[in-house]
Amino acid sequence: MDTMRWSGGCLEILDQTLLPERVEYIKCRDYQTVCQAIRRLSVRGAPAIGAAAAYGLALGAFSLDTRDRRDFISALEKIAADLAATRPTAVNLQWALDRLLAAVKNSAAGDVAELKQKLLDEAHAIYREDLESNRRMGRFGQELVPDGAVILTHCNAGALATAGLGTALGVIRAARDAGKRVSVMADETRPLLQGARLTAWEMLQENIPVTLVADNMAGYAMALGKVDLVIVGADRIAANGDVANKIGTYSVAVLAREHGIPFYVAAPMSTVDFRVATGKDIPIEMRDEREITHFAGKRVAPPGVGVWNPAFDVTPARLVDAIITDRGVARPPYTESLAALAGRTGGSGGR
Ligand code: MRU
């Protein structure tokens, strides 16, 4: 099932808020609809929102009627800023927009129509390359998975969060394809249940055995020896290896360390933000309090209660045993290993 597809000049986005009950696509004919889809998590997961934003920028470009290259680029930058503002934590979103803007600025084409086509081509390339990147992560990562392993994962870092296969779930799929007997323990992932609704659904579709647990059961499961390793995705990784991912990931990492269980992160290099030295500098998205005070549309907390609802947390690098990327597996110290995988001589400067 496609997370998104380009069809007849419009972007169709699988509405993940309806899964697993209904499979419906939202037709985005303008970039504002793409912004809305990203904000309300119809499309979610770092690589997927990067690709959706790229298509959104292409859609925005097609709506511009200027023929002047300079006017075109300045209007494009405004649209990119709107798309970038939808969700601040996943760096793939900004990365994809920067890549499209650079493609236009570096293009020798003077004709605006050609530049519009260039944007769409680049968006297609980002989507295509993501699938290949997932395959590579799978190949590298599956080596870390022993036969018979029970793997705990948090949130959804699967096909639905990418162009296909997934990052953390991509590694699990690759281990299965390599002939290993693997099974998954999926944290339900409060408050929006990406684990229960999406990861459980994806694994069942693939016939990979999956057991669903509420988030607060992970510690007891580990204490009873029911978990062999943890693999999660990431929304942004700082140059020192600190990892921002779905809220609750940090607690899982602390539990894993306490129980001597390996804690791995799988993410493409486009998720590593070398401009950010440590996790302290990663912006964390705060979301609507209704996500906490309500459950399935019904109020479950008294009106007037104070709510704190960060969508992500930061797991310090010291709790991460390895980062599985599309260029290889990075081990601590990450400042050096990530820079080496990215082909950088030092850990500073632009991305
Ligand atoms: O709020 P979401 O559902 O977009 O959060 C998604 C996650 O935290 C994923 O683990 C992360 O984006 C990696 S997806 C390959």
Side-chain angles (χ1 to χ4, degrees), residues 219-238:
Y220 189 46
M222 288 182 189
L224 294 183
K226 288 180 181 295
V227 177
D228 298 305
L229 63 145
V230 176
I231 313 181
V232 296
D235 285 84
R236 195 186 299 220
I237 299 174

Side-chain angles (χ1 to χ4, degrees), residues 44-47 87 155-157 161-162 167 194 233-235 245-246 312:
R44 32 72 45 206
R87 295 197 77 191
C155 194
N156 173 267
T162 61
T167 57
Q194 288 92 332
D235 285 84
N245 191 48
K246 178 52 57 193
F312 302 97

Side-chain angles (χ1 to χ4, degrees), residues 16 38 41 43-49 87 89-90 92 130 134 137 153-162 166-169 189 192-195 197-198 232-236 244-247 249 266-268 271 285 287 311-313:
Q16 297 189 31
I38 296 174
L41 270 53
V43 59
R44 32 72 45 206
I49 60 178
R87 295 197 77 191
T89 303
N92 307 59
D130 187 50
N134 290 343
M137 252 177 282
T153 190
H154 190 74
C155 194
N156 173 267
L160 291 165
T162 61
T167 57
L169 298 191
T189 317
L192 297 179
L193 305 182
Q194 288 92 332
R197 294 187 301 106
L198 310 176
V232 296
D235 285 84
R236 195 186 299 220
N245 191 48
K246 178 52 57 193
I247 190 75
T249 302
T271 301
E285 176 185 2
R287 292 189 62 88
F312 302 97
D313 60 25

Side-chain angles (χ1 to χ4, degrees), residues 44-326:
R44 32 72 45 206
I49 60 178
Y55 280 117
L57 191 58
L59 276 173
F62 283 117
S63 72
L64 298 173
D65 57 14
T66 178
R67 287 179 177 195
D68 181 83
R69 185 187 157 102
R70 223 171 331 145
D71 289 351
F72 175 72
I73 291 177
S74 93
L76 208 56
E77 280 171 338
K78 288 200 187 84
I79 296 170
D82 285 351
L83 284 159
T86 52
R87 295 197 77 191
T89 303
V91 74
N92 307 59
L93 204 160
Q94 188 64 56
W95 168 86
L97 294 167
D98 288 348
R99 178 168 155 177
L100 261 68
L101 287 172
V104 163
K105 288 178 187 168
N106 298 335
S107 165
D111 181 14
V112 166
E114 258 182 76
L115 295 177
K116 290 178 181 175
Q117 187 54 45
K118 180 133 205 82
L119 285 164
L120 182 58
D121 293 346
E122 202 66 25
H124 286 321
I126 285 176
Y127 191 68
R128 247 193 343 261
E129 288 167 21
D130 187 50
L131 188 57
E132 184 44 38
S133 142
N134 290 343
R135 280 203 190 98
R136 283 199 302 271
M137 252 177 282
R139 275 202 298 275
F140 294 128
Q142 70 85 16
E143 311 247 337
L144 304 178
V145 179
D147 185 27
V150 178
I151 304 156
L152 183 129
T153 190
H154 190 74
C155 194
N156 173 267
L160 291 165
T162 61
L165 296 175
T167 57
L169 298 191
V171 170
I172 294 169
R173 285 184 163 99
R176 189 271 317 266
D177 293 346
K180 295 174 187 170
R181 288 157 303 153
V182 287
S183 59
V184 171
M185 184 170 278
D187 274 354
E188 66 172 350
T189 317
R190 276 281 287 152
L192 297 179
L193 305 182
Q194 288 92 332
R197 294 187 301 106
L198 310 176
T199 296
W201 185 71
E202 264 196 61
M203 293 294 92
L204 287 173
Q205 298 238 324
E206 287 263 334
N207 288 323
I208 294 178
V210 55
T211 302
L212 179 63
V213 292
D215 299 338
N216 49 6
M217 296 168 189
Y220 189 46
M222 288 182 189
L224 294 183
K226 288 180 181 295
V227 177
D228 298 305
L229 63 145
V230 176
I231 313 181
V232 296
D235 285 84
R236 195 186 299 220
I237 299 174
N240 74 340
D242 289 349
V243 173
N245 191 48
K246 178 52 57 193
I247 190 75
T249 302
Y250 170 55
S251 322
V252 173
V254 171
L255 286 169
R257 179 58 53 95
E258 167 68 17
H259 293 92
I261 294 168
F263 180 91
Y264 300 135
V265 173
M269 285 306 287
S270 55
T271 301
V272 183
D273 187 352
F274 288 101
R275 294 170 306 186
V276 160
T278 75
K280 285 197 181 68
D281 300 322
I282 298 177
I284 298 295
E285 176 185 2
M286 301 301 293
R287 292 189 62 88
D288 196 296
E289 61 180 48
R290 276 181 65 93
E291 292 178 354
I292 308 284
T293 56
H294 289 65
F295 190 84
K298 191 175 172 298
R299 177 175 276 286
V300 291
V305 68
V307 169
W308 185 62
N309 184 19
F312 302 97
D313 60 25
V314 177
T315 298
R318 71 188 143 75
L319 298 178
V320 179
D321 292 292
I323 300 177
I324 302 157
T325 78
D326 45 359

